[in-house]
Amino acid sequence: MAVTEKAMHATNGHTSPPASKPADGYTIIGSRPVRPDGVDKVTGRAIYGADVRLQGLLYGKVLRSPHAHARILSIDTSKAEALPGVKAVVTGADLPTAADKVEDLGESAINLKYLSANILAHDKALYHGHAIAAVAAVDSHTAEEAIGFIEVKYEVLPPVMTVDDAMADNAPILLDGLRTDEMGEMGSKPTNLAKHFRHQQGDLAAGFAAAEVVVERTFRTETVHQGYIEPHTGTAQYNTDGQVTIWASTQGTFAVRNQTSEILRIPVSQIKVIPTEIGGGFGGKINVYLEPVAVLLSKKAGGKPVKLVMSRTEVLQATGPTSGSNIRIKIGADANGKITAAHAELYYEAGAFPGSPVGAAANVVLAPYAIDNLQVDGYDIVVNRPRSAAYRAPGGTNAAYATESVLNEIAEKLGIDQAHIRLINGAKQGDRRPDGVQHTEPIGLLETVQAIAESDHYNTPLTGKYQGRGIACGYWNNWGGKSSATAVLNADGTVSLNEASTDIGGSRASIAMQFAEAVGIGYEQVKPRVGDTDSVAYNDVTGGSRTTFSTGMAAHNMGVEMLSQMKERLADVWEVDAVEYADGEFSGGDNHISFQEAAALIYKTGEPLMVSSTVFPRSFGPGFSTQLADVEVDPETGKVTILRYTIAQDVGRAIHPSYVEGQMQGGVVQGIGWALNEEYIYNEKGQLLNGSLLDYRMPTALDLPMIETILVEVPYPGHPYGVRGVGEVNIVPPAGAIANAVANAIGSRMFELPMSPARVLEAMKE
Amino acid sequence: MAKKVMVQTVINNDDTTFVCETRQTLLEVLRDELGMTGTKEGCGNGNCGACNVMLDGVLVNSCLVLAVEAEGRTVTTIEGVAEAEGLHPIQQAFLEHAALQCGICTPGFIISSKALLEQNPNPSEHDVRLWLAGNLCRCTGYDKIVRAVLDVASAGQAKAGA
Amino acid sequence: MAVVWIPALIRPLTDGKSQVEVTGENVREIVEALEALYPGVAARIVEDDRIRPGLSVAVDGAVGNKGLLEPVGPESEVHFVPAMTGG
C-alpha cells in the first residue's frame, strides 16, 4: 500500500515567498532580506574548505585502521616515502607528547592526551577508521597510492561496541588509565565507564507511592551522524619562520586554533586560522581532525601548503557521530495525569574517548515538565566507535524520545489527551530543571503546547486505518558564549561589520539586521564579513544556538555605541550641546542631515570612526518546542511515511523569520531521519558496514511533506531584542513525536530507534 | 605517472581543452585542473547530487563521469547558469525563499532544478520532490527548496500564458 | 546566606542534605565554608585550584567561567552541574 501524493499534506499552490515586513515596533527585525553571501552561494563562487587553491599545494591522504580495537605494534613508512611524488609522511610518533590533563578548548572539556590520540593514533587503534598515518604528495592519486605502501602491524583486540559490551564483567578495556569519575570520587579499577553523575530532587519513593499509574520502559537508540554534505577538509601551511596558517571549514576558528595549539604545542600567536565558507556542521565541525595533521605534513614537506579532504566513508567512519544510548525511564502519575515522580537512567556511548553528551541529556530528559520528585542518573561510557561529537542539541533527541514515549503510555492508560497531559505538567517560569537550576525568566513551553493544540493540524482528524498521530515536547538550554566584533563607519554611510562567528545558515544576515536596527539604517548599508583569528578578538564557536543571540548582542551594542559617537562628533562640528537622531536624520541646532551625509562629514572633519564590542552573556533563554506528527504505516513493508508535520517553537524573537523557519524545518528533518532510517551498522568485528550515503540513509525530498512552522515568540528579557537560540531544540522532539504516532498507527509500541521498516513489521506482528 | 590525454569540450559555451589522466573524473578535472570549484563533492559515489552538471543537456553526477567522456560534448556547470543580465530565475528564487542555509548543496540543486524545469515546466509538488530525490540537503528539510522551484515554475507558467 | 544545592552523589558527605546555607562572596569562599561544615566536599568540587573539569558552577542560574572567582550574592543560589554543550 503506497501512500499517495494526495494523502500527504500539500502546499495548496502557495509558492511565492512570504512578504518581507518588519515586526511591530521594528524597522528591520522580522523582515526577510536576502543574505549578504547569497549571490556567491547560488553562483558557485563561494569558497568552501575543499575549494582553497594555493601555489605549490600538496594533497594529503590519511591511512585509517581497518580494526575497531587493536594495539599498534609497528608502522613502516619507508616504502611510501620512496614513492615518487610523495613529499611527507607522518604518524602518531610525530606528535609532541600530550599532557594528561583536561582542558576546555572549544565547547567542551577533553583530556589533551585523548585529543591528540584521536588525530593520529598513539599506541592503539580504537575504532574502525581511526587515523594511523598520513601522506602529502603532488596529487591526490599519488597520496592515495602511497598510503597503500605503509605497513602497519596490529595486535587485534576484541571490539567493545555497545553499552552492554562495555559494562560487562571482564569487558576488554579501551583506555588503560581510565577510572570512573563519580562527581569527583575516582574509582580504583580500570573501566570503560568514564563518568557517573546524578540529579535528585524531592522524594522519589514517596512520589511513586502516590502514583495511580507507573510506566517503566527501556529504550535503545543507535549511533547517528550529523550528515553535513561537505566532508571535512583542512589546509595548512607551516612557514619557515614558524608561522602557521590554516584554512578551515569550521564552526569555530578559535576552537581550531586552540586545539591545534595544544596538540602541536605551538603558541596560539603563531597560528592564524582563516575561515572558509562551511558546508554544514551541526556540532560536528568543532573538533579538529585534519588541520593539525596538515600542519605536520606541511612542516615535513618544507613549508609547502597541504590540503586534506575526507571521503564520505572517512567522514562516516571517523568523524561525528552522536551517541547511541540505552535509556530506562520510569514515570508515575496520579489519576489526573499529574506526574508524581520520574526516574531516568541514561547510558550514553561516548565513542573511543570520554565525552558523550549525557550531561546535557540529563536535563533534556525531563525538563519540559515540572516534577517535584525526580532522579536522573547519567553514565558516560567508552566503546570502539568514533569519538562522539556534538550534534544539534547533543544527547537531547534520544532522551526526549524515551520520556515522550512513556508519557504517552501514561496518557493512554489514564484516557487523557496527549496535548492535555503536557499542558497539565508543562514547566513554566519559577519551575526547576532536573539539575535544580530554576527558570527565573519567562519560558514558552506551555505556549508551544497550546499552539499545537489549537492548530489546524491537530484539529483535523486522521483518515486511514494505519495512520497515527503523535505529539512530543523538547527542551534545549541554549548558550551565550563569547563574541567579538568591530564596525567601521565608511564615508559613504555604509558600515563594515567584522565578526568571527562562521556563518552556517544565514547568521551574517541576522547579525547585520540587529546592527541596522540598533543604528536605524537600512540592512543593505551594513556589510558583514567573517574575519580570521588575527582580525577579531576571541570568539566562541557557532554552536549551542548562540550566534544570533550573542554575536547579535555585540552587533546591537556596537550600533548603540556608533550612534552615540556620531552624535558627539556632530555636536563638536556643529558646536551645539546635543544632537538628536530620528528617522534616519541627525539634527542639532539648525542642522539636519541624513545618516549618509553625517558619515561623510565625520570622515572629512576628524579621525575615522570605528567601534567594537565584546560580550559574554552568562544568562540566556532556553528553547522549547512542541511538535505534532501524522504518519501512515505500510502494513506490507513496515515503511513509515510522514503525512503531515507541524512544529511550534518558542523562538524568543525571530530576527529573520525565513531562517528561523529553516532552522526548525531542518532540525526536524534530521530528527525524522534519526527516528526512521539512520543508524550505524557494524559487523561483529566492529567494522562499519554502511559508510556511504546510499546505505546511511538520510531523508530525501521525496520522503517528506512540507514542514509547517508556528513561531511562538516569548521574548527573552536578557537580550535587547528578546532573542533566544533557535537552532537546536527543534531536533529534540521528532523521534518522540514519530514514535507516538507510529504506536498510535499500529497499536503497539516500539522501544528502539530507528523505526526502520523491518523493525516496524516486527512490532506489527506482536 | 599515468599517461595523460587531451580532451576537447565546450564548457558553459566556451571551447575548452584540457589534459587529464584517464582515471580522473569530470568532477576532479572541473575542480582541480580547471579551477571551477562551484561544482561540489559531497560523497564521490553518486548519492548526494552536489556535483551535478549537465552533459549534452542531460543531468549527470560529475563524480561518476570520467573526464575523457566529455570529449566532443558540452558541459554546463553552476558557473554557467547565471545569465548576462543577472541571476537565473532559479537562483533568484533560492535567495528569496531562503532555500539555502550552508549552501554546499545549492549548486547541485540549482542544476537539477534547471534540468527539471527544462523537461517539465509545470511540475507538481510530487514531481519536484521525485526529481530532487537525488540531491541531498541536510540543512533545510527541503521545504523552502521545493517552494522555490514551484515558484519559478508558476512564474514561468504565468509568463507563458501572458 | 547563599543556598548551595549539593550534587546528589556528594550528599553522603552532607548528612544527606540536598541544600546547605553558607556565607561567601565568591565560589571559592562558598566551597571553603562547605568544607568547614562537611570535610571532604571541597575535593569533590575543586581540583588544582579550579572547578573540576566537566563540572560548571551556576550562580542564580547563570553559568560564567570565572570558576572559583564567580561572585556570589547574599541571597544567591549556587549549583554545581555537569558541563553542557551544544551543537
Side-chain angles (χ1 to χ4, degrees), chain B residues 1-130:
Chain B
M1 284 299 227
K3 187 170 172 280
K4 295 201 173 186
V5 293
M6 191 170 82
V7 177
Q8 289 186 297
T9 66
V10 177
I11 301 180
N12 300 332
N13 297 323
D14 291 331
D15 289 341
T16 306
T17 302
F18 59 80
V19 174
C20 69
E21 297 177 23
T22 52
R23 65 184 171 182
Q24 287 185 290
T25 64
L26 178 58
L27 173 63
E28 185 183 343
V29 167
L30 285 171
R31 291 179 52 81
D32 292 346
E33 309 295 337
L34 300 174
M36 300 173 71
T37 56
T39 304
K40 304 302 181 190
E41 176 164 354
C43 71
N45 49 16
N47 294 320
C48 79
C51 68
N52 282 3
V53 301
M54 306 277 271
L55 189 61
D56 281 347
V58 176
L59 187 64
V60 295
N61 298 128
S62 65
C63 71
L64 298 183
V65 176
L66 288 171
V68 292
E69 294 181 78
E71 171 66 36
R73 300 168 82 175
T74 65
V75 180
T76 305
T77 72
I78 186 65
E79 287 91 348
V81 172
E83 294 152 1
E85 56 271 31
L87 295 178
H88 187 279
I90 296 172
Q91 293 172 313
Q92 192 61 37
F94 268 62
L95 292 180
E96 288 172 2
H97 282 267
L100 61 147
Q101 286 177 34
C102 82
I104 193 86
C105 70
T106 306
F109 268 98
I110 287 173
I111 292 282
S112 294
S113 303
K114 187 166 179 283
L116 166 65
L117 296 181
E118 282 169 8
Q119 289 212 350
N120 178 2
N122 189 23
S124 67
E125 180 187 339
H126 182 78
D127 293 338
V128 174
R129 290 185 179 278
L130 179 61

Side-chain angles (χ1 to χ4, degrees), chain C residues 62-86:
Chain C
V63 179
N65 68 350
K66 291 202 183 94
L68 293 172
L69 298 176
E70 202 67 49
V72 175
E75 306 286 319
S76 283
E77 207 178 275
V78 179
H79 295 261
F80 297 98
V81 293
M84 281 183 289
T85 59

Side-chain angles (χ1 to χ4, degrees), chain C residues 6-83:
Chain C
I6 306 297
L9 295 178
I10 303 181
R11 287 178 203 164
L13 294 174
T14 60
D15 305 331
K17 283 192 185 136
S18 57
Q19 287 151 50
V20 175
E21 294 195 1
V22 290
T23 307
E25 293 197 346
N26 59 31
V27 173
R28 184 192 303 281
E29 291 180 15
I30 292 287
V31 172
E32 283 166 359
L34 280 175
E35 179 69 14
L37 288 172
Y38 305 108
V41 169
R44 302 288 290 273
I45 296 171
V46 178
E47 180 186 272
D48 297 336
D49 203 35
R50 61 177 187 173
I51 303 280
R52 293 184 70 94
L55 203 61
S56 55
V57 58
V59 179
D60 298 323
V63 179
N65 68 350
K66 291 202 183 94
L68 293 172
L69 298 176
E70 202 67 49
V72 175
E75 306 286 319
S76 283
E77 207 178 275
V78 179
H79 295 261
F80 297 98
V81 293

Side-chain angles (χ1 to χ4, degrees), chain A residues 49 52 54 57-62 64 87-91 94-95 119-120 131 133-137 232-239 243-248 256 260 263-264 266 271 288-310:
Chain A
V52 171
L54 300 164
L57 184 64
L58 301 177
Y59 293 80
K61 286 282 176 191
V62 175
R64 296 181 180 278
K87 301 296 181 187
V89 182
V90 298
T91 69
D94 293 289
L95 291 167
I119 300 305
L120 285 168
V135 171
H232 289 265
T233 71
T235 303
Q237 180 164 30
Y238 186 97
N239 218 340
Q243 291 293 324
V244 172
T245 306
I246 295 171
W247 292 261
V256 171
T260 304
I263 292 168
L264 300 181
I266 297 171
I271 302 171
V288 296
Y289 300 95
L290 299 175
E291 292 87 344
V293 178
V295 174
L296 280 182
L297 286 168
S298 176
K299 187 178 181 184
K300 268 206 175 177
K304 286 192 170 174
V306 175
K307 175 156 80 176
L308 288 159
V309 182
M310 284 193 198

Side-chain angles (χ1 to χ4, degrees), chain B residues 148-159:
Chain B
V149 176
L150 288 171
D151 192 9
V152 176
S154 60
Q157 288 301 300
K159 211 167 157 188

Side-chain angles (χ1 to χ4, degrees), chain A residues 76-154:
Chain A
D76 182 352
T77 60
S78 56
K79 287 181 188 158
E81 283 161 14
L83 191 71
V86 170
K87 301 296 181 187
V89 182
V90 298
T91 69
D94 293 289
L95 291 167
T97 306
D100 187 5
K101 68 168 183 172
V102 177
E103 285 288 346
D104 189 345
L105 295 176
E107 235 199 336
S108 58
I110 182 167
N111 187 310
L112 299 177
K113 195 175 57 170
Y114 297 150
L115 183 70
S116 170
N118 197 44
I119 300 305
L120 285 168
H122 292 175
D123 54 339
K124 277 176 105 180
L126 289 162
Y127 50 91
H128 178 212
H130 196 162
I132 304 294
V135 171
V138 290
D139 61 56
S140 59
H141 298 282
T142 306
E144 182 88 50
E145 275 172 44
I147 60 170
F149 288 116
I150 297 173
E151 292 167 1
V152 186
K153 288 207 176 78
Y154 296 99

Side-chain angles (χ1 to χ4, degrees), chain A residues 30 84 281 313 330 420 441 472 568 600:
Chain A
T313 299
K330 181 180 176 186
H420 190 60
E441 306 285 357
E568 280 178 32

